[in-house]
Structure formats: C-alpha cells, structure tokens
Amino acid sequence: MGTPGLLQLGDVAIGAAIRAGERAGETLTRLRDRARARMKEVRLDDLTGLAELGASERNRVIDNAITALATSRIVDRVVEIQLARVLELLEREPDRIRALVRGQRDSMVGDVVGRVRAGAAAGDAAVDRITLRMTGRGQLIDPA
C-alpha cells in the first residue's frame, strides 16, 4: 500500500486513537492487577500506622490553623475594639456595672448562706440522732 491520501488520513487518526485506547486499557489492567497484589501484601499494622500518622498530621494542621487565627492581626484588632468599647461603657455608666457586680455578689452570698444553712441543719440532725441514742430515748417503746 502506498502513502495514504487525504481522505485516508482521517481513518489513520481514528485507527491510531483506537490502538492507543486499547494499549491504555491493557496498561490500566496491568496497573490494577499490580495494585491488588500490593494491597494483599499490606498488613493491618501498616494501615493502623498510616491512620495514626494521618490523625496526628490532621491535628497538627488544625492546631497550627487555630494558632494562626488566634494570633492574627485581625483578631487582635477585633479584641482591641471590643475592649475599648467595654472600657468606654465602664467609664460612661459605672452605676450599671456596679449594679451588675452587686447582683452577682448578692447571688453568690445567697448561695453560700444556703449551703451553710443546709450543712448546719444536717449537722443538727446528726447531733440529735447521736444524743437520742446515747440517752436511750431514741428507742421505740412498745405501748403494749
């Protein structure tokens, strides 16, 4: 056969594409078979080790991202602005803040007093039980 004509060049291109596809399929099959053989060789310990390595790396990346975010200039700026607003509020409305602190203090004192009273009542009850046992009055007397 001689040199292909212009019309046959299209057929040559199609044939070359088909041949390349066949060879790619054969290569893919060989690679897949090799991968399957290698996976059979991989032990469970190897997979566990890889999982631990991956988890460790993921945690490291997350920690670095959080640290980078927390120390970023924009977060510093947001904190500065909010702190300035709080200090300004304290300066402008000290009575509002005093009332808030007083309310917290009263609540805490009330909680402590309640706990002391409950402890004292429990102690009184225990002393009463001991006293009744020691004097013998704690025993039930059968009226019959």
Side-chain angles (χ1 to χ4, degrees), residues 32-135:
R32 193 177 307 138
D33 290 344
R34 285 183 194 164
R36 283 185 186 139
R38 295 260 324 185
M39 284 305 291
K40 289 178 184 176
E41 296 172 9
V42 174
R43 295 189 330 242
L44 185 58
D45 292 343
D46 294 336
L47 296 177
T48 302
L50 288 174
E52 289 172 355
L53 178 64
S56 173
E57 183 64 15
R58 177 178 34 85
N59 289 335
R60 188 186 66 76
V61 167
I62 289 172
D63 286 346
N64 287 344
I66 290 172
T67 300
L69 179 65
T71 58
S72 70
R73 292 182 61 205
I74 192 162
V75 171
D76 285 345
R77 185 70 181 130
V78 168
V79 169
E80 286 176 14
I81 290 169
Q82 292 303 321
L83 183 59
R85 289 177 65 195
V86 168
L87 292 174
E88 182 183 322
L89 178 66
L90 285 171
E91 187 178 329
R92 262 186 304 137
E93 301 181 38
D95 292 337
R96 183 174 167 191
I97 303 304
R98 281 189 195 114
L100 178 66
V101 170
R102 191 175 302 117
Q104 288 293 325
R105 184 189 65 214
D106 291 346
S107 175
M108 288 170 50
V109 168
D111 288 347
V112 169
V113 168
R115 288 182 184 175
V116 168
R117 284 183 180 156
D124 287 346
V127 168
D128 287 345
R129 283 192 305 272
I130 291 172
T131 303
L132 290 173
R133 283 187 198 150
M134 290 178 73
T135 60

